[in-house]
Amino acid sequence: MAITEAVENYLETILILSQKQPDVHAIDVCSYLGYSRPTVSIILKKMKEEGLVTVDNDNHIKLTNTGKDVAERVYDRHRTLSAFFELLGVNKDTAAEDACLVEHDLSDETFAKLKEHYKKLAGEE
């Protein structure tokens, strides 16, 4: 399975949920993303087969090291882009929505430069 935008969104969601609650279940992912249980189950099974997540006997979903690396990269992009867009004057909701659209498609080089510029503007350097 390729690491598609959809897979990145699932991994990012599991990361976000795991930061908010002790255990993540498929129903939590369904609620967060607004997807049906069968849809989420299919993707989770594929991500498990690809070594991106584990699911224990209590159906707790955990990111593997590989899955966590992808999730953290995407989530960093999301947070940085959202904050950058807000710094430009975009309202918070639109900034978050636009960050979701852009976070998957920027090259590493462009994102690094954008993040560097954001930190200067925000006084983080």
Side-chain angles (χ1 to χ4, degrees), residues 1-118:
M1 168 193 294
I3 306 288
T4 63
E5 181 177 330
V7 170
E8 287 180 343
N9 283 333
Y10 276 93
L11 294 171
E12 180 183 24
T13 296
I14 294 165
L15 176 67
I16 291 167
L17 291 171
S18 70
Q19 292 173 345
K20 294 180 181 181
Q21 59 197 52
D23 300 311
V24 178
H25 295 91
I27 193 69
D28 301 319
V29 177
C30 294
S31 295
Y32 190 90
L33 293 173
Y35 297 157
S36 71
R37 178 66 192 254
T39 299
V40 170
S41 294
I42 290 167
I43 297 297
L44 285 173
K45 181 181 179 201
K46 290 179 181 178
M47 291 191 322
K48 184 178 173 186
E49 290 169 358
E50 292 296 319
L52 298 171
V53 298
T54 60
V55 181
D56 67 18
N57 292 336
D58 294 321
N59 291 316
H60 299 148
I61 303 165
K62 296 196 185 315
L63 297 169
T64 63
N65 289 337
T66 302
K68 188 174 183 182
D69 288 346
V70 173
E72 287 176 343
R73 180 184 59 81
V74 174
Y75 192 45
D76 177 48
R77 285 172 171 242
H78 181 86
R79 288 187 319 237
T80 301
L81 291 166
S82 291
F84 183 69
F85 296 157
E86 285 182 55
L87 187 67
L88 295 174
V90 177
N91 78 62
K92 187 175 185 166
D93 291 338
T94 302
E97 289 172 18
D98 288 348
C100 282
L101 296 172
V102 176
E103 67 194 21
H104 306 282
D105 295 325
L106 283 177
S107 69
D108 290 339
E109 178 185 5
T110 298
F111 177 72
K113 292 298 183 183
L114 190 142
K115 186 174 183 176
E116 181 182 309
H117 187 67
Y118 165 73

